[in-house]
Amino acid sequence: MSDILKAMAQNFLGKSPKWYKQIIVAFLLINPILFYIDPFVAGWVLVVEFIFTLAMALKCYPLQPGGLLAIEAVILGMTSAKHVQVEVTANFEVILLLIFMVAGIYFMKDLLLFSFTKLVVTMKSKILLSLTFCLVSAFLSAFLDALTVIAVIIAVAVGFYSVYHKVASGKGQQDEHDHSSDHGLLENHRVDLEQFRAFLRSLVMHAGIGSALGGVCTLVGEPQNLIIAEQAHWQFVEFVLRMAPVTIPVLIAGLLTCILVEKFSKFGYGAKLPDSIRKILTDFNDEKSAKMTSQDKAKLIIQAIIGVWLIVGLAMHLAAVGLIGLSVIIFATAFTGITEEHALGKAFEEALPFTALLVVFFTIVAVIIDQHLFKPVIELVLQSEGDTQLALFYIANGFLSMVSDNVFVGTVYINEVKTALAEGLISRPQFDLLAVAINTGTNLPSVATPNGQAAFLFLLTSAIAPLLRLSYGTMVWMALPYTLVLTAVGLIGVIYNLAPMTDLMLEMGWLQPHVPGAVIPAH
């Protein structure tokens, strides 16, 4: 019997360190006691515990330990299975996006690798390359979903890494190879590999920050943008104009930060592409181009056409993002000869674990709602007035978005402000200003942690993170200069720029005043 118990202890959370297993067990034992003493405290402890599982993602994928904590929360009554289902249903579009869009990007990897390889091998300046990654991500995220943009970046980074790792392991490009293992790595390539990891880490992080810079600007950039715009009766152009007094200075400051951290090699940035690896990538590009058959060229053309459809379909909202992703899968496989079931299955391997983790995350969000964890902060902020109220809304949304989901935080706050407007506690112009503070507050400071934005969490738990040694702590550290700059510039914009610039746009007729109290009822 003792052997069985010992074996069960060894099987629990697999190869995770013993200390990590003991901490998770301690969490599971202490939560019922805390919930019996004070449910509010127990709720906040659960949030911290879940963040811990995210921070230790390289020790153990967060789905298992986080899932155990979430199940325990439901059993204890911190929330209910019904409420979890409601949260999952409310975010069904995000789940569809993860399942189908990420898989769709998988079938476009040939075009992505072909295009980005040419970019990387021809652009010698690391600062210019970093700025390009940041700007392209910002532009795409303004019109597409940030998760889609990150999925593209991950696909490109994995492609680069696998090309070099195969050569560094002494194998040809046609040979089978596991790029997640360094066991076969040739000794003379190990130093270059570490520098290559640092190079790719910086590009991936610049792209991630870029997705936040662009995502805050438009109605379609982030899910909470759409929710806030619906409540405020803002259309696409009006949303862009109302956000501009804050988002334009933030975008400029973000791009300057990108240049500075690369120039001075701070916070984990500045690593350049080793010449030996540039040669390998160049040779790979030349070899692929030389061996490209008419069939291969036809595949690239088809993928390019599908890429245009992807951008047009998402920018014009022709269907839900996930459904457009499904159409990409169908087009990309039907017209490139991929018809076997097992070939299709590989595309879903990356997204499904994260989709499951996101459902666990929604359970934690349900706990936050049922235990009213944000209520004290909300009540405190609503008691303030004028510019102070704008600043506090921005700061409160920013802080809560760092530890929770920015979509949830934005939804809670816009509903509270809408209620205050309906009860006559604030004016319609103040409501519009607060809506801007809420949107920028949920989008900008949330870059501080991977759990702040779904795209960052996806990056942390993706296949590229362990390859590049991109841990939770590394992401927080590399995001720190951006966090400080974006948060500070955003706050200054909200306090000093927002009201005067909004009044000026109203005077010039760029914006039209809204009928007092005209707010869409809550869903």
Side-chain angles (χ1 to χ4, degrees):
M1 187 63 180
S2 60
D3 290 341
I4 296 295
L5 292 174
K6 186 177 180 181
M8 291 176 67
Q10 290 175 336
N11 289 339
F12 178 68
L13 299 183
K15 296 180 180 179
S16 304
K18 187 176 180 181
W19 61 263
Y20 181 84
K21 297 180 182 184
Q22 291 170 342
I23 289 174
I24 297 301
V25 171
F27 288 165
L28 293 170
L29 292 175
I30 198 173
N31 286 342
I33 300 169
L34 284 177
F35 186 65
Y36 176 78
I37 297 170
D38 190 332
F40 183 83
V41 172
W44 270 111
V45 169
L46 179 71
V47 171
V48 173
E49 290 170 351
F50 185 72
I51 292 173
F52 172 81
T53 66
L54 298 178
M56 295 290 111
L58 296 185
K59 301 294 182 186
C60 177
Y61 191 73
L63 174 63
Q64 291 82 5
L68 291 173
L69 293 170
I71 292 169
E72 182 183 56
V74 174
I75 293 171
L76 291 175
M78 289 186 176
T79 188
S80 66
K82 184 68 177 176
H83 190 177
V84 174
Q85 184 180 343
V86 169
E87 289 300 316
V88 171
T89 304
N91 291 277
F92 188 61
E93 278 200 33
V94 178
I95 292 173
L96 272 182
L97 181 154
L98 283 169
I99 295 172
F100 293 128
M101 184 60 78
V102 176
I105 297 300
Y106 175 88
F107 291 112
M108 295 180 65
K109 62 182 180 181
D110 290 339
L111 175 67
L112 294 170
L113 188 57
F114 178 80
S115 304
F116 277 89
T117 301
K118 286 191 176 297
L119 179 68
V120 169
V121 298
T122 55
M123 196 173 286
K124 300 293 178 69
S125 169
K126 176 64 187 307
I127 293 176
L128 187 58
L129 184 62
S130 299
L131 200 58
T132 301
F133 265 71
C134 193
L135 266 173
V136 168
S137 294
F139 175 77
L140 291 176
S141 294
F143 298 98
L144 311 182
D145 187 274
L147 277 166
T148 305
V149 176
I150 293 300
V152 170
I153 297 300
I154 289 171
V156 169
V158 170
F160 284 153
Y161 186 86
S162 61
V163 167
Y164 172 67
H165 201 274
K166 188 175 286 187
V167 173
S169 300
K171 296 184 178 179
Q173 290 300 335
Q174 305 305 317
D175 297 334
E176 288 293 324
H177 178 63
D178 178 14
H179 56 251
S180 64
S181 173
D182 288 348
H183 290 310
L185 202 67
L186 301 177
E187 198 60 38
N188 59 320
H189 282 285
R190 290 187 180 274
V191 174
D192 280 351
L193 178 61
E194 288 307 313
Q195 189 173 341
F196 190 42
R197 281 175 172 146
F199 171 81
L200 288 179
R201 266 199 309 269
S202 62
L203 290 184
V204 166
M205 284 301 295
H206 286 311
I209 299 295
S211 71
L213 289 172
V216 69
C217 294
T218 67
L219 185 147
V220 298
E222 291 281 350
Q224 71 268 27
N225 300 15
L226 193 56
I227 294 167
I228 291 168
E230 284 180 353
Q231 298 290 3
H233 275 196
W234 294 343
Q235 299 303 316
F236 190 93
V237 174
E238 182 176 4
F239 185 95
V240 172
L241 290 174
R242 286 193 178 275
M243 295 296 154
V246 181
T247 57
I248 298 302
V250 165
L251 177 61
I252 294 169
L255 296 177
L256 286 173
T257 305
C258 175
I259 294 170
L260 290 173
V261 294
E262 282 294 337
K263 182 174 178 59
F264 296 104
S265 300
K266 300 297 183 182
F267 296 94
Y269 295 100
K272 294 179 173 58
L273 181 65
D275 291 336
S276 59
I277 298 180
R278 186 186 299 278
K279 185 178 185 309
I280 288 171
L281 293 178
T282 303
D283 291 345
F284 168 77
N285 183 56
D286 293 342
E287 184 182 344
K288 288 283 286 186
S289 298
K291 291 184 177 180
M292 197 172 287
T293 64
S294 298
Q295 207 168 4
D296 293 329
K297 292 176 182 177
K299 286 181 181 179
L300 292 180
I301 293 170
I302 289 295
Q303 289 178 17
I305 294 170
I306 293 170
V308 173
W309 150 244
L310 176 64
I311 293 172
V312 172
L314 289 172
M316 297 182 68
H317 302 286
L318 298 180
V321 179
L323 296 181
I324 292 175
L326 178 58
S327 73
V328 168
I329 295 173
I330 294 169
F331 290 144
T333 54
F335 290 99
T336 59
I338 300 172
T339 54
E340 298 84 3
E341 185 179 358
H342 69 87
L344 289 169
K346 289 180 181 178
F348 294 90
E349 290 177 1
E350 175 71 16
L352 288 182
F354 180 72
T355 306
L357 176 61
L358 202 61
V359 173
V360 171
F361 183 71
F362 293 144
T363 307
I364 307 301
V365 170
V367 171
I368 291 172
I369 296 171
D370 287 343
Q371 300 304 319
H372 308 290
L373 301 187
F374 291 172
K375 188 176 180 180
V377 181
I378 293 171
E379 290 177 346
L380 177 66
V381 170
L382 283 172
Q383 289 171 5
S384 58
E385 295 179 357
D387 290 341
T388 303
Q389 192 177 56
L390 288 176
L392 287 177
F393 261 86
Y394 177 87
I395 293 168
N397 276 268
F399 170 73
L400 295 175
S401 293
M402 291 180 191
V403 300
S404 178
D405 172 43
N406 55 5
V407 178
F408 163 67
V409 174
T411 303
V412 169
Y413 267 88
I414 196 64
N415 283 327
E416 291 292 334
V417 172
K418 181 204 66 178
T419 302
L421 175 62
E423 294 175 354
L425 300 176
I426 58 174
S427 65
R428 175 64 209 221
Q430 182 69 1
F431 170 87
D432 289 331
L433 296 178
L434 286 172
V436 176
I438 292 168
N439 188 68
T440 52
T442 55
N443 275 289
L444 298 175
S446 58
V447 302
T449 65
N451 42 294
Q453 296 199 20
F456 279 42
L457 186 59
F458 181 43
L459 178 59
L460 174 68
T461 57
S462 69
I464 195 64
L467 298 181
L468 303 186
R469 309 300 188 258
L470 191 61
S471 66
Y472 188 101
T474 301
M475 286 187 72
V476 170
W477 175 246
M478 295 183 76
L480 183 58
Y482 283 109
T483 303
L484 296 174
V485 171
L486 303 191
T487 302
V489 175
L491 181 59
I492 292 168
V494 166
I495 296 173
Y496 298 107
N497 221 21
L498 181 57
M501 289 300 295
T502 301
D503 290 340
L504 180 62
M505 286 188 280
L506 286 166
E507 287 176 13
M508 295 179 68
W510 294 4
L511 294 174
Q512 297 299 318
H514 288 276
V515 178
V519 185
I520 294 177
H523 294 295

